[in-house]
Amino acid sequence: MVLNCLHLVKRFGSVTALGDVSLEVREGSFVCILGPSGCGKSTLLRVIAGLETPDEGRVYLEGQDITRWIPAQRGFGIVFQSYALFPNLTVLENVMFGIRGLRREARRHRAMEMLELVRLSDEIRRYPSQLSGGQQQRVALARALAIHPRLLLLDEPLSALDARVRSDLREELRRLHRALGVTTVMVTHDQEEALSLADEIVVMKDGRIHQSDRPHRVYRKPGDLFVADFVGAMNVLRGWRADGEGVVRGGMRLRLRNGHLDPGETVIVGIRPEEVGLALGDEGENEHSTEVISLEFRGPFYRVRCRFLEGELPSSLTVTAHWPASVVESQQIREGMRVRVRLPPDALLVYAAGEVAEATVPAAVAG
Amino acid sequence: MGSYRLQRLLLLCAGIWLVAVVLLPLGEVVRQSLADRQGRFVGLSNFAFYLRSPSLLATLLNSTAISLVVTVLVVPVAFLFAFALHRAVFPGKALFRTVIMAPLYAPTMLFGLSLIFLFGRQGMITTGFFGRYPALALDIGLYGRTGIVLGECLLAIPPAVLILSAALENMDARLLEAAASLGSNSWRTFWTVAVPAARYGLIHAAIAVFTLCFTDFGVPKVVGGQTPILATEVYKQVVGQQNFGLGAVISMMLLSPVLIATLLERHLATRQQALFNARSVPYIPKRAWLRDISFWTFCVGVSGAVVATLLVAAYGSLVRVWPYRLELGGWHYRFRETGGGGYQAFFNSLRLAAWTSVFGTPLTFGLAYLVEKTRGWDRFRRAVHGLALLPLALPGLVIGIAFIFFFNAPSLGYGVAVPNPFRGLYNTPALIVLSHIVHFLTVAYLTAMTALRQLDREFEAVSEAMGVSFVGTVFRVTVPICLPAIIEIALFFFVNAMASVSAVVFLRPPGYPIASVAVVNMEDAGDVAPAIAMCMLILGANLLVRGLGEGLRLMVRRRQRWKRA
C-alpha cells in the first residue's frame, strides 16, 4: 500500500466531516472518492494533502506516519476544480513554478516535457485567461505532475467543464495515468466519471465510507441502498416478506438466486431499470402483469414506468424499465397498455427493510 | 515548517501592533474618562457632571441635532444624484462623478472658509456682490448652526454618493424589467423596487453622513461661531485648557454613537451580501427625454454647488484685500506676516503623507494577507480582523487624544507600573505618521481584503503542496495581481494624511509646522485668506498626486496583459 488512512476523524464545529474513515490506496492505482456534496470527500482529500489536520486517526505513506507533515514535505501534486492557475504567469511559468532545486534550463526542460505530455507545448507563452477551460485544466495537471509527485490528488477536476470537454479530458486523464503510472486519488460527485476512470471507487456519505470496491462490483453489487441509489438508477421495491425460496408481496411472488433469508423477514428488493425484462412468450418465472403508466423517449431506449397489477386491480407498486427503442416501437407499447415484465432472479438485490437509503448502519466494505 | 512559523510569527506581531496602537490607547481614553484630575478612579461621575452642566449638555444636543439635519438633507440629494448617474441617459457622467468627489481631497476647513467668502459678514452674497447688486444681498446669519449645516452638507455628499452608487450598481436589473413587464409605471417602480432594493445602501449612507458630521472638526472650527459642539469643545478643553479628564469624557461622547453606528453598519453589511447574488444583471438605461433632462439639471445643480464653493475658495485665496481691493495675485501664497509655518508646514505635510503611504500600504496589505490567506490560529485571526476594523469607529479627534494619553504617559499601569516603552515617540513626526495609519487603517485594510478575496482561494494550497514558500507566492503572484488595489491604498493614505486635521491637531510636535494645522492657526488669528490659500495648496497637491496615481494605474493595467483574454 502506498497510502494508508486509518480511522480519520475531522470535525468543523458541530459538523463531523469525517467520522472514522479508513482507506487504502495501492501503488499505481486510480482511486475515485465518490459522494454527494457535503459527504466529506473533499475534506478527506485535503487531509491526505496535508491542507487539513485530522482530529483523530493517522495517515501513512509507504508505512511512514505523515499525519503531521506539512503539504510541502509530502510532495503530492494537487489539481483543484478552479484550476488555481496563476493568472499573471504564462503557461510555461505556471508549470515551472513548483519545480525546484534545478538550474533554470533543467526546470524549463522538465516543464516542457510535461506540457508535451498534456499536448500544450504550442501554448507556452500564453496566459491562462487566453486558454479554454479544458486547456487550463491540462496546464494545472502538467503543473502538478512536474514535481514528480508521489501521489496525484484531483479535487473535482472536471466539474467546471462542459460535457464534451469533460469526456475528452476524462480520456486524457486515463491516458496520463497509464503513461506515468502515478498513483492517483480523485474526488468527484459524478458517478459516470468514477465508473469510467477508477480502478477502485470509494462511495462516501455523511463522513463515512459506504462501500469501497472495483467499479463494476459497486454497480452490480451495491453494498447498501444508498450506494445502489447513488450509483446509477435503481428500482426500490418495498414491502416484501421472505418466504422459503423467495419473497412475497400480496399475491406476487419473486424467486431469488440465493435466498438465505429468515422466513418472515421484511425486505426491500432492488433492480436496475435495464435489467427489467419485457416478457413476450408464455408465462414464466418472476413474470408479472403490469399496466404502462408513462413512456419517456430517451434516444436509444424508452424509460417505461409500469404499475403492477394484482389480479385485475392496480397495486401501489411501480417499476421503471429501460427498453430498447426498437422493441418498444415494434411492440407498439403505449400508455395504458398491459405488459408482462420479468424480474430475473440474477438481477435482484435484497436489502433488509430496516435499512433505508439514509441508513446509519455500518457500510458493507468489500475487499 | 519554516513557512508556517514565519506566518504565525508575523500574525502575532500584527496582533501585538494593533493592540499597542489601537486597543491600549483607546483603553487609556476610557480610563481617563473614569478618573479625576489626580488620576483617581471616580466611576461615572465625570459623565454625571457633564450631563448636569447645561452648557456641556448643549454641546451634545447641538452635535446630535446638526448631524441629524445634515443626514436628512444630504441622503435624499445624494440618492437622487447616484440614481441619475445610473438610471438616466445624459452626457458627461464621468465628469459629474469626478467633480462630486473633489471635496474628498481638501481639508474640511476649506468649506467653512469658502462659506465665509460667500455668506460671511463681508461675503459675496451677503453684500450683494460687493454692493453692485444690492437687491440680491442676502444675510443668512452664517456663523453657528446654519454655517455648520451648510458646510457639512457639502463635504458629506461625496461619501454618500459613493455608497449609494455602489448600492444601485449591485441591484439586479431583472427586478426593474420584471416590474416593467407587470405594467408598473416608472414612478411606482422607483418607490416599490428601486428604493427598497437600495435600503441597505440608504441606511449605510445615513450612518456614514451622520458619523462624518458628528466628528468633523474643520467646518465648525471655522463657521461654528458661538454654537458649541462636541468636536470643537474637545479641542478647546484639551488644547486650550489642558483639561484632559473632560477631554476624555467628551471623546467618549464622540465615540459612542459612532461605535454603535459602525457596529450596526457591519451587521447590515453582512446581511446585505446575502441579498445580492453574483449573477445580477447590470442595468442599461434607455432614453426618456423628460426624465433625462430633469436629472441632468439636478446633477448640474449639485455639482455646480460643489464647483462654486471650490471656485470661490480659489478666488478668495487670490484676491488682494477682500472685499476692498479685488485685484488678483499670489500675495496670500507667500504666507508672510502670518503664523502657521507657511511652506515649511506644506512640505512637512507632504513628507508625512508620503511616509504614511510608504509605511501604511505594505502594513495594511500584509495585515489583510495574513488574516485572509493563512491557515490555523482561527480564533486569533478573527480577533486580529476585529481589531483592524475597530479604527473605522474612531474619530480622528479621539485617536489624537488617545495617542496623547497613551504615548505621553510616563508609565503604563495595569496592576503593575511598567515604564512606557513607546514614550520616545511622543512629540515626533513619526507619531503623526502612526496616527494617520491608524486613522485610515480600516478602509485601506478592507480595500486590500476585497482585492485578496477575488484571488483563487487555492493559490496558497497549490504553492504549499509544491513546496514553494508563501513569501515567493506573495511576490510572484499575489502582489502583481493586486497592484491596482495597492496603488489605490497608497493614494488613499497619502491624500487623507495630507488633508486630515483632526488627529494631528493634538499631536503636532512643537516647532514642527503642519499644513492642515497651519490652516487652523491662521484662521484662529483671523488670516482667512492665507488659510484658504494653504487649503488650496493641499487640494492642489492631492489632485496632482491622484492624477499621477491614475496614470500609474493605467500603466499597470497596460502591463497586466494577462487580464485580457
Side-chain angles (χ1 to χ4, degrees), chain A residues 51 70-72 80 82 84-85 87-89 100 127 129 143, chain B residues 4 375 456 458-459 462 464 467 476 480-481 561-562 564-565:
Chain A
L51 296 169
I70 62 164
F80 291 102
S82 63
L85 293 178
N88 61 324
L89 303 184
R100 304 172 65 213
Y127 289 97
S129 63
R143 184 176 64 179
Chain B
Y4 279 109
R375 295 186 295 112
D456 196 314
E458 314 291 8
F459 281 171
V462 162
E464 240 181 273
R476 282 224 41 214
I481 296 176
R561 277 175 299 150
W562 46 268
R564 288 190 296 269

PDB file of all heavy atoms in Angstrom, chain A residues 51 70-72 80 82 84-85 87-89 100 127 129 143, chain B residues 4 375 456 458-459 462 464 467 476 480-481 561-562 564-565:
ATOM      1  N   LEU A  51      -3.543  19.666   3.883  1.00  0.00           N
ATOM      2  CA  LEU A  51      -4.119  21.009   3.985  1.00  0.00           C
ATOM      3  C   LEU A  51      -5.054  21.118   5.177  1.00  0.00           C
ATOM      4  O   LEU A  51      -5.419  22.213   5.596  1.00  0.00           O
ATOM      5  CB  LEU A  51      -4.870  21.361   2.691  1.00  0.00           C
ATOM      6  CG  LEU A  51      -3.989  21.443   1.453  1.00  0.00           C
ATOM      7  CD1 LEU A  51      -4.825  21.515   0.184  1.00  0.00           C
ATOM      8  CD2 LEU A  51      -3.071  22.656   1.525  1.00  0.00           C
ATOM      9  N   ILE A  70       3.650  18.800   6.807  1.00  0.00           N
ATOM     10  CA  ILE A  70       3.036  19.892   6.051  1.00  0.00           C
ATOM     11  C   ILE A  70       3.013  19.488   4.581  1.00  0.00           C
ATOM     12  O   ILE A  70       3.751  18.588   4.162  1.00  0.00           O
ATOM     13  CB  ILE A  70       3.781  21.229   6.242  1.00  0.00           C
ATOM     14  CG1 ILE A  70       5.221  21.106   5.735  1.00  0.00           C
ATOM     15  CG2 ILE A  70       3.761  21.654   7.699  1.00  0.00           C
ATOM     16  CD1 ILE A  70       5.876  22.443   5.528  1.00  0.00           C
ATOM     17  N   PRO A  71       2.155  20.124   3.776  1.00  0.00           N
ATOM     18  CA  PRO A  71       1.989  19.703   2.381  1.00  0.00           C
ATOM     19  C   PRO A  71       3.308  19.596   1.626  1.00  0.00           C
ATOM     20  O   PRO A  71       3.522  18.635   0.885  1.00  0.00           O
ATOM     21  CB  PRO A  71       1.108  20.805   1.799  1.00  0.00           C
ATOM     22  CG  PRO A  71       0.349  21.330   2.949  1.00  0.00           C
ATOM     23  CD  PRO A  71       1.237  21.201   4.141  1.00  0.00           C
ATOM     24  N   ALA A  72       4.201  20.563   1.838  1.00  0.00           N
ATOM     25  CA  ALA A  72       5.442  20.584   1.064  1.00  0.00           C
ATOM     26  C   ALA A  72       6.271  19.327   1.290  1.00  0.00           C
ATOM     27  O   ALA A  72       6.900  18.809   0.374  1.00  0.00           O
ATOM     28  CB  ALA A  72       6.251  21.826   1.428  1.00  0.00           C
ATOM     29  N   PHE A  80      -7.033  21.445  -8.469  1.00  0.00           N
ATOM     30  CA  PHE A  80      -8.324  21.849  -7.935  1.00  0.00           C
ATOM     31  C   PHE A  80      -9.324  22.081  -9.058  1.00  0.00           C
ATOM     32  O   PHE A  80      -8.955  22.325 -10.199  1.00  0.00           O
ATOM     33  CB  PHE A  80      -8.185  23.134  -7.123  1.00  0.00           C
ATOM     34  CG  PHE A  80      -7.418  22.947  -5.847  1.00  0.00           C
ATOM     35  CD1 PHE A  80      -6.095  23.348  -5.764  1.00  0.00           C
ATOM     36  CD2 PHE A  80      -8.009  22.372  -4.748  1.00  0.00           C
ATOM     37  CE1 PHE A  80      -5.388  23.189  -4.591  1.00  0.00           C
ATOM     38  CE2 PHE A  80      -7.307  22.200  -3.566  1.00  0.00           C
ATOM     39  CZ  PHE A  80      -5.994  22.605  -3.495  1.00  0.00           C
ATOM     40  N   SER A  82     -11.042  24.649  -9.488  1.00  0.00           N
ATOM     41  CA  SER A  82     -10.919  26.011 -10.012  1.00  0.00           C
ATOM     42  C   SER A  82      -9.630  26.188 -10.807  1.00  0.00           C
ATOM     43  O   SER A  82      -9.318  27.286 -11.205  1.00  0.00           O
ATOM     44  CB  SER A  82     -10.923  26.990  -8.852  1.00  0.00           C
ATOM     45  OG  SER A  82      -9.781  26.747  -8.037  1.00  0.00           O
ATOM     46  N   ALA A  84      -6.843  26.978 -10.187  1.00  0.00           N
ATOM     47  CA  ALA A  84      -5.872  27.735  -9.387  1.00  0.00           C
ATOM     48  C   ALA A  84      -4.588  28.010 -10.159  1.00  0.00           C
ATOM     49  O   ALA A  84      -3.493  27.942  -9.612  1.00  0.00           O
ATOM     50  CB  ALA A  84      -5.568  27.022  -8.062  1.00  0.00           C
ATOM     51  N   LEU A  85      -4.728  28.333 -11.438  1.00  0.00           N
ATOM     52  CA  LEU A  85      -3.546  28.757 -12.208  1.00  0.00           C
ATOM     53  C   LEU A  85      -3.254  30.211 -11.862  1.00  0.00           C
ATOM     54  O   LEU A  85      -4.171  30.998 -11.651  1.00  0.00           O
ATOM     55  CB  LEU A  85      -3.821  28.632 -13.707  1.00  0.00           C
ATOM     56  CG  LEU A  85      -3.998  27.222 -14.255  1.00  0.00           C
ATOM     57  CD1 LEU A  85      -4.299  27.280 -15.739  1.00  0.00           C
ATOM     58  CD2 LEU A  85      -2.752  26.392 -14.002  1.00  0.00           C
ATOM     59  N   PRO A  87      -2.820  33.736 -12.694  1.00  0.00           N
ATOM     60  CA  PRO A  87      -3.240  34.419 -13.920  1.00  0.00           C
ATOM     61  C   PRO A  87      -2.159  35.311 -14.514  1.00  0.00           C
ATOM     62  O   PRO A  87      -2.182  35.598 -15.698  1.00  0.00           O
ATOM     63  CB  PRO A  87      -4.450  35.239 -13.467  1.00  0.00           C
ATOM     64  CG  PRO A  87      -4.286  35.400 -12.009  1.00  0.00           C
ATOM     65  CD  PRO A  87      -3.572  34.175 -11.520  1.00  0.00           C
ATOM     66  N   ASN A  88      -1.206  35.754 -13.677  1.00  0.00           N
ATOM     67  CA  ASN A  88      -0.196  36.688 -14.184  1.00  0.00           C
ATOM     68  C   ASN A  88       1.057  35.979 -14.691  1.00  0.00           C
ATOM     69  O   ASN A  88       1.996  36.625 -15.087  1.00  0.00           O
ATOM     70  CB  ASN A  88       0.181  37.687 -13.086  1.00  0.00           C
ATOM     71  CG  ASN A  88       0.770  36.999 -11.868  1.00  0.00           C
ATOM     72  OD1 ASN A  88       0.348  35.907 -11.512  1.00  0.00           O
ATOM     73  ND2 ASN A  88       1.756  37.609 -11.257  1.00  0.00           N
ATOM     74  N   LEU A  89       1.053  34.652 -14.654  1.00  0.00           N
ATOM     75  CA  LEU A  89       2.194  33.901 -15.174  1.00  0.00           C
ATOM     76  C   LEU A  89       1.764  33.168 -16.446  1.00  0.00           C
ATOM     77  O   LEU A  89       0.611  32.751 -16.574  1.00  0.00           O
ATOM     78  CB  LEU A  89       2.688  32.886 -14.137  1.00  0.00           C
ATOM     79  CG  LEU A  89       3.084  33.438 -12.764  1.00  0.00           C
ATOM     80  CD1 LEU A  89       3.642  32.317 -11.894  1.00  0.00           C
ATOM     81  CD2 LEU A  89       4.109  34.553 -12.883  1.00  0.00           C
ATOM     82  N   ARG A 100      11.821  22.721  -8.326  1.00  0.00           N
ATOM     83  CA  ARG A 100      12.845  23.403  -7.542  1.00  0.00           C
ATOM     84  C   ARG A 100      14.132  22.593  -7.515  1.00  0.00           C
ATOM     85  O   ARG A 100      14.158  21.428  -7.889  1.00  0.00           O
ATOM     86  CB  ARG A 100      12.334  23.651  -6.133  1.00  0.00           C
ATOM     87  CG  ARG A 100      11.041  24.433  -6.162  1.00  0.00           C
ATOM     88  CD  ARG A 100      10.409  24.523  -4.811  1.00  0.00           C
ATOM     89  NE  ARG A 100      11.251  25.285  -3.901  1.00  0.00           N
ATOM     90  CZ  ARG A 100      11.329  25.044  -2.619  1.00  0.00           C
ATOM     91  NH1 ARG A 100      10.661  24.054  -2.107  1.00  0.00           N
ATOM     92  NH2 ARG A 100      12.090  25.781  -1.846  1.00  0.00           N
ATOM     93  N   TYR A 127      -1.231  33.274 -21.583  1.00  0.00           N
ATOM     94  CA  TYR A 127      -1.671  33.417 -20.197  1.00  0.00           C
ATOM     95  C   TYR A 127      -2.930  32.577 -19.994  1.00  0.00           C
ATOM     96  O   TYR A 127      -3.667  32.342 -20.957  1.00  0.00           O
ATOM     97  CB  TYR A 127      -1.958  34.889 -19.874  1.00  0.00           C
ATOM     98  CG  TYR A 127      -0.696  35.700 -19.798  1.00  0.00           C
ATOM     99  CD1 TYR A 127      -0.255  36.438 -20.887  1.00  0.00           C
ATOM    100  CD2 TYR A 127       0.070  35.701 -18.646  1.00  0.00           C
ATOM    101  CE1 TYR A 127       0.925  37.171 -20.824  1.00  0.00           C
ATOM    102  CE2 TYR A 127       1.248  36.430 -18.572  1.00  0.00           C
ATOM    103  CZ  TYR A 127       1.673  37.160 -19.664  1.00  0.00           C
ATOM    104  OH  TYR A 127       2.834  37.875 -19.599  1.00  0.00           O
ATOM    105  N   SER A 129      -5.845  33.137 -19.003  1.00  0.00           N
ATOM    106  CA  SER A 129      -7.122  33.689 -19.464  1.00  0.00           C
ATOM    107  C   SER A 129      -7.287  33.543 -20.973  1.00  0.00           C
ATOM    108  O   SER A 129      -8.378  33.717 -21.502  1.00  0.00           O
ATOM    109  CB  SER A 129      -7.229  35.160 -19.072  1.00  0.00           C
ATOM    110  OG  SER A 129      -6.223  35.904 -19.720  1.00  0.00           O
ATOM    111  N   ARG A 143       1.314  21.120 -14.248  1.00  0.00           N
ATOM    112  CA  ARG A 143       1.991  21.758 -13.129  1.00  0.00           C
ATOM    113  C   ARG A 143       2.102  20.799 -11.942  1.00  0.00           C
ATOM    114  O   ARG A 143       3.125  20.730 -11.268  1.00  0.00           O
ATOM    115  CB  ARG A 143       1.230  23.029 -12.715  1.00  0.00           C
ATOM    116  CG  ARG A 143       1.916  23.815 -11.625  1.00  0.00           C
ATOM    117  CD  ARG A 143       1.208  25.105 -11.314  1.00  0.00           C
ATOM    118  NE  ARG A 143      -0.135  24.871 -10.775  1.00  0.00           N
ATOM    119  CZ  ARG A 143      -0.955  25.832 -10.394  1.00  0.00           C
ATOM    120  NH1 ARG A 143      -0.606  27.091 -10.532  1.00  0.00           N
ATOM    121  NH2 ARG A 143      -2.131  25.554  -9.910  1.00  0.00           N
TER     122      ARG A 143
ATOM    123  N   TYR B   4       5.243  28.129   7.939  1.00  0.00           N
ATOM    124  CA  TYR B   4       4.162  28.259   8.917  1.00  0.00           C
ATOM    125  C   TYR B   4       4.577  29.122  10.092  1.00  0.00           C
ATOM    126  O   TYR B   4       3.846  29.986  10.547  1.00  0.00           O
ATOM    127  CB  TYR B   4       3.762  26.881   9.443  1.00  0.00           C
ATOM    128  CG  TYR B   4       2.836  26.137   8.534  1.00  0.00           C
ATOM    129  CD1 TYR B   4       3.268  25.035   7.819  1.00  0.00           C
ATOM    130  CD2 TYR B   4       1.513  26.549   8.402  1.00  0.00           C
ATOM    131  CE1 TYR B   4       2.412  24.348   6.986  1.00  0.00           C
ATOM    132  CE2 TYR B   4       0.650  25.866   7.567  1.00  0.00           C
ATOM    133  CZ  TYR B   4       1.102  24.764   6.862  1.00  0.00           C
ATOM    134  OH  TYR B   4       0.256  24.091   6.043  1.00  0.00           O
ATOM    135  N   ARG B 375      -3.485  29.872   7.263  1.00  0.00           N
ATOM    136  CA  ARG B 375      -4.358  28.911   7.927  1.00  0.00           C
ATOM    137  C   ARG B 375      -3.933  28.716   9.379  1.00  0.00           C
ATOM    138  O   ARG B 375      -2.822  29.009   9.756  1.00  0.00           O
ATOM    139  CB  ARG B 375      -4.316  27.572   7.192  1.00  0.00           C
ATOM    140  CG  ARG B 375      -4.881  27.671   5.794  1.00  0.00           C
ATOM    141  CD  ARG B 375      -4.987  26.332   5.121  1.00  0.00           C
ATOM    142  NE  ARG B 375      -3.682  25.736   4.885  1.00  0.00           N
ATOM    143  CZ  ARG B 375      -3.246  24.658   5.507  1.00  0.00           C
ATOM    144  NH1 ARG B 375      -3.997  24.055   6.391  1.00  0.00           N
ATOM    145  NH2 ARG B 375      -2.051  24.169   5.238  1.00  0.00           N
ATOM    146  N   ASP B 456      -8.096  33.321  -6.342  1.00  0.00           N
ATOM    147  CA  ASP B 456      -8.461  31.930  -6.099  1.00  0.00           C
ATOM    148  C   ASP B 456      -7.978  31.508  -4.710  1.00  0.00           C
ATOM    149  O   ASP B 456      -6.836  31.735  -4.344  1.00  0.00           O
ATOM    150  CB  ASP B 456      -7.798  31.053  -7.170  1.00  0.00           C
ATOM    151  CG  ASP B 456      -8.411  29.677  -7.226  1.00  0.00           C
ATOM    152  OD1 ASP B 456      -8.603  29.072  -6.155  1.00  0.00           O
ATOM    153  OD2 ASP B 456      -8.694  29.213  -8.332  1.00  0.00           O
ATOM    154  N   GLU B 458      -7.265  28.732  -3.711  1.00  0.00           N
ATOM    155  CA  GLU B 458      -6.367  27.590  -3.704  1.00  0.00           C
ATOM    156  C   GLU B 458      -4.929  27.938  -4.089  1.00  0.00           C
ATOM    157  O   GLU B 458      -4.081  27.073  -4.093  1.00  0.00           O
ATOM    158  CB  GLU B 458      -6.896  26.489  -4.631  1.00  0.00           C
ATOM    159  CG  GLU B 458      -8.375  26.179  -4.491  1.00  0.00           C
ATOM    160  CD  GLU B 458      -8.728  25.505  -3.175  1.00  0.00           C
ATOM    161  OE1 GLU B 458      -7.835  25.413  -2.314  1.00  0.00           O
ATOM    162  OE2 GLU B 458      -9.870  25.074  -3.004  1.00  0.00           O
ATOM    163  N   PHE B 459      -4.671  29.223  -4.432  1.00  0.00           N
ATOM    164  CA  PHE B 459      -3.295  29.595  -4.795  1.00  0.00           C
ATOM    165  C   PHE B 459      -2.305  29.159  -3.724  1.00  0.00           C
ATOM    166  O   PHE B 459      -1.264  28.566  -4.005  1.00  0.00           O
ATOM    167  CB  PHE B 459      -3.169  31.116  -4.961  1.00  0.00           C
ATOM    168  CG  PHE B 459      -3.685  31.625  -6.278  1.00  0.00           C
ATOM    169  CD1 PHE B 459      -3.810  32.986  -6.500  1.00  0.00           C
ATOM    170  CD2 PHE B 459      -4.049  30.749  -7.288  1.00  0.00           C
ATOM    171  CE1 PHE B 459      -4.282  33.462  -7.702  1.00  0.00           C
ATOM    172  CE2 PHE B 459      -4.534  31.221  -8.497  1.00  0.00           C
ATOM    173  CZ  PHE B 459      -4.656  32.586  -8.694  1.00  0.00           C
ATOM    174  N   VAL B 462      -1.959  25.312  -3.503  1.00  0.00           N
ATOM    175  CA  VAL B 462      -1.173  24.771  -4.609  1.00  0.00           C
ATOM    176  C   VAL B 462       0.315  25.035  -4.392  1.00  0.00           C
ATOM    177  O   VAL B 462       1.149  24.140  -4.525  1.00  0.00           O
ATOM    178  CB  VAL B 462      -1.648  25.387  -5.948  1.00  0.00           C
ATOM    179  CG1 VAL B 462      -0.606  25.214  -7.028  1.00  0.00           C
ATOM    180  CG2 VAL B 462      -2.946  24.744  -6.381  1.00  0.00           C
ATOM    181  N   GLU B 464       1.848  25.679  -1.613  1.00  0.00           N
ATOM    182  CA  GLU B 464       2.293  24.917  -0.451  1.00  0.00           C
ATOM    183  C   GLU B 464       2.608  23.479  -0.845  1.00  0.00           C
ATOM    184  O   GLU B 464       3.647  22.938  -0.482  1.00  0.00           O
ATOM    185  CB  GLU B 464       1.166  24.893   0.572  1.00  0.00           C
ATOM    186  CG  GLU B 464       1.508  25.497   1.897  1.00  0.00           C
ATOM    187  CD  GLU B 464       0.308  25.384   2.811  1.00  0.00           C
ATOM    188  OE1 GLU B 464      -0.545  26.283   2.781  1.00  0.00           O
ATOM    189  OE2 GLU B 464       0.216  24.378   3.511  1.00  0.00           O
ATOM    190  N   GLY B 467       5.726  23.015  -2.481  1.00  0.00           N
ATOM    191  CA  GLY B 467       6.896  23.322  -1.676  1.00  0.00           C
ATOM    192  C   GLY B 467       7.443  24.715  -1.913  1.00  0.00           C
ATOM    193  O   GLY B 467       8.584  24.999  -1.596  1.00  0.00           O
ATOM    194  N   ARG B 476       5.548  36.763  -6.329  1.00  0.00           N
ATOM    195  CA  ARG B 476       5.413  36.438  -7.750  1.00  0.00           C
ATOM    196  C   ARG B 476       3.984  36.511  -8.232  1.00  0.00           C
ATOM    197  O   ARG B 476       3.725  36.739  -9.409  1.00  0.00           O
ATOM    198  CB  ARG B 476       5.971  35.034  -8.024  1.00  0.00           C
ATOM    199  CG  ARG B 476       7.452  35.061  -8.075  1.00  0.00           C
ATOM    200  CD  ARG B 476       8.113  34.291  -9.181  1.00  0.00           C
ATOM    201  NE  ARG B 476       7.613  34.273 -10.516  1.00  0.00           N
ATOM    202  CZ  ARG B 476       7.713  33.206 -11.284  1.00  0.00           C
ATOM    203  NH1 ARG B 476       8.221  32.103 -10.819  1.00  0.00           N
ATOM    204  NH2 ARG B 476       7.286  33.235 -12.529  1.00  0.00           N
ATOM    205  N   PRO B 480       1.704  41.162  -7.688  1.00  0.00           N
ATOM    206  CA  PRO B 480       1.479  41.624  -9.063  1.00  0.00           C
ATOM    207  C   PRO B 480      -0.003  41.695  -9.432  1.00  0.00           C
ATOM    208  O   PRO B 480      -0.433  42.640 -10.091  1.00  0.00           O
ATOM    209  CB  PRO B 480       2.189  40.569  -9.908  1.00  0.00           C
ATOM    210  CG  PRO B 480       3.225  39.999  -9.026  1.00  0.00           C
ATOM    211  CD  PRO B 480       2.669  40.052  -7.643  1.00  0.00           C
ATOM    212  N   ILE B 481      -0.791  40.718  -8.975  1.00  0.00           N
ATOM    213  CA  ILE B 481      -2.209  40.741  -9.343  1.00  0.00           C
ATOM    214  C   ILE B 481      -2.932  41.878  -8.629  1.00  0.00           C
ATOM    215  O   ILE B 481      -3.813  42.517  -9.190  1.00  0.00           O
ATOM    216  CB  ILE B 481      -2.877  39.389  -9.012  1.00  0.00           C
ATOM    217  CG1 ILE B 481      -2.254  38.282  -9.857  1.00  0.00           C
ATOM    218  CG2 ILE B 481      -4.366  39.449  -9.286  1.00  0.00           C
ATOM    219  CD1 ILE B 481      -2.766  36.912  -9.531  1.00  0.00           C
ATOM    220  N   ARG B 561      -1.068  42.317 -19.065  1.00  0.00           N
ATOM    221  CA  ARG B 561      -1.561  41.737 -20.319  1.00  0.00           C
ATOM    222  C   ARG B 561      -2.431  40.522 -20.067  1.00  0.00           C
ATOM    223  O   ARG B 561      -3.336  40.206 -20.801  1.00  0.00           O
ATOM    224  CB  ARG B 561      -0.376  41.309 -21.198  1.00  0.00           C
ATOM    225  CG  ARG B 561       0.210  42.425 -21.996  1.00  0.00           C
ATOM    226  CD  ARG B 561       1.422  41.891 -22.714  1.00  0.00           C
ATOM    227  NE  ARG B 561       2.430  41.405 -21.766  1.00  0.00           N
ATOM    228  CZ  ARG B 561       3.282  40.422 -22.025  1.00  0.00           C
ATOM    229  NH1 ARG B 561       3.248  39.810 -23.168  1.00  0.00           N
ATOM    230  NH2 ARG B 561       4.178  40.061 -21.120  1.00  0.00           N
ATOM    231  N   TRP B 562      -2.080  39.815 -18.984  1.00  0.00           N
ATOM    232  CA  TRP B 562      -2.759  38.557 -18.713  1.00  0.00           C
ATOM    233  C   TRP B 562      -4.243  38.712 -18.445  1.00  0.00           C
ATOM    234  O   TRP B 562      -4.991  37.765 -18.495  1.00  0.00           O
ATOM    235  CB  TRP B 562      -2.097  37.861 -17.532  1.00  0.00           C
ATOM    236  CG  TRP B 562      -1.827  38.765 -16.377  1.00  0.00           C
ATOM    237  CD1 TRP B 562      -0.687  39.471 -16.134  1.00  0.00           C
ATOM    238  CD2 TRP B 562      -2.704  39.081 -15.315  1.00  0.00           C
ATOM    239  NE1 TRP B 562      -0.808  40.193 -14.982  1.00  0.00           N
ATOM    240  CE2 TRP B 562      -2.034  39.971 -14.460  1.00  0.00           C
ATOM    241  CE3 TRP B 562      -4.017  38.691 -15.007  1.00  0.00           C
ATOM    242  CZ2 TRP B 562      -2.622  40.488 -13.315  1.00  0.00           C
ATOM    243  CZ3 TRP B 562      -4.593  39.208 -13.855  1.00  0.00           C
ATOM    244  CH2 TRP B 562      -3.889  40.097 -13.030  1.00  0.00           C
ATOM    245  N   ARG B 564      -6.344  40.364 -20.266  1.00  0.00           N
ATOM    246  CA  ARG B 564      -7.139  40.326 -21.498  1.00  0.00           C
ATOM    247  C   ARG B 564      -7.178  38.905 -22.038  1.00  0.00           C
ATOM    248  O   ARG B 564      -6.157  38.264 -22.195  1.00  0.00           O
ATOM    249  CB  ARG B 564      -6.537  41.277 -22.535  1.00  0.00           C
ATOM    250  CG  ARG B 564      -6.772  42.716 -22.180  1.00  0.00           C
ATOM    251  CD  ARG B 564      -6.381  43.582 -23.342  1.00  0.00           C
ATOM    252  NE  ARG B 564      -4.949  43.489 -23.618  1.00  0.00           N
ATOM    253  CZ  ARG B 564      -4.044  44.299 -23.087  1.00  0.00           C
ATOM    254  NH1 ARG B 564      -4.417  45.244 -22.273  1.00  0.00           N
ATOM    255  NH2 ARG B 564      -2.781  44.170 -23.379  1.00  0.00           N
ATOM    256  N   ALA B 565      -8.360  38.479 -22.352  1.00  0.00           N
ATOM    257  CA  ALA B 565      -8.494  37.117 -22.873  1.00  0.00           C
ATOM    258  C   ALA B 565      -8.100  37.077 -24.345  1.00  0.00           C
ATOM    259  O   ALA B 565      -8.167  38.075 -25.021  1.00  0.00           O
ATOM    260  CB  ALA B 565      -9.906  36.632 -22.704  1.00  0.00           C
TER     261      ALA B 565
END
